Amino acid sequence: MPRLSLDQFLPYRLSIASNRVSGAIATAYQALFGLKIPEWRLVAVLAEEGAASQQALGVRTRMDKMTVSRAALTLVERGLVTRTANPADQRSQLLSLSASGRQLYDEIAPKALAMEAELMAGFSDAERERLTGYLVRLEQAAERIGTGHS
């Protein structure tokens, strides 16, 4: 029977890598912009895709309802996001970036790209493309396992 070696166990390695990358980025976003990672994710999605319900944001970011709700509330309180009635569903509201939110995104996006470039500096273009492809395939495999469709 094969033995589990945590340091060689892919889910563990992915978790460690994710935690280290997220931690470094979270520290920078907090220090520079006063944003936590969930708040930044909502800002980024709203900047990229436009108005969305909290439910749609949860699906898009893979964050739970409570995390999305807290992040949205913080962003609304800071004046970075506005809420409007959702014409497609009167029980929910649409979140959109305010002018201040758009301005903040425009400041953060170049810094986020610079941090990503720094993280990936030791990789060739081909290696970056392969890594992205591998990650997409891992996400798809995890989705199949999670839904019971192997």
Side-chain angles (χ1 to χ4, degrees), residues 57-113:
L57 289 166
V59 169
R60 173 68 168 82
T61 61
R62 297 281 194 182
M63 294 189 300
D64 64 73
K65 268 167 81 167
M66 200 55 168
T67 301
V68 171
S69 181
R70 275 191 234 114
L73 182 60
T74 298
L75 294 170
V76 168
E77 287 172 351
R78 285 186 59 186
L80 300 172
V81 167
T82 59
R83 292 181 192 268
T84 56
N86 183 350
D89 179 0
Q90 295 303 316
R91 296 169 296 160
S92 72
Q93 296 180 321
L94 294 176
L95 301 176
S96 303
L97 284 184
S98 66
S100 304
R102 172 54 71 176
Q103 183 178 355
L104 182 69
Y105 174 81
D106 291 342
E107 285 179 50
I108 296 175
K111 289 178 178 27
L113 291 171

Side-chain angles (χ1 to χ4, degrees), residues 24-40:
I25 291 170
T27 300
Y29 290 166
Q30 185 68 41
L32 294 171
F33 305 105
L35 288 179
K36 295 178 180 167
I37 292 291
E39 295 158 8
W40 160 243

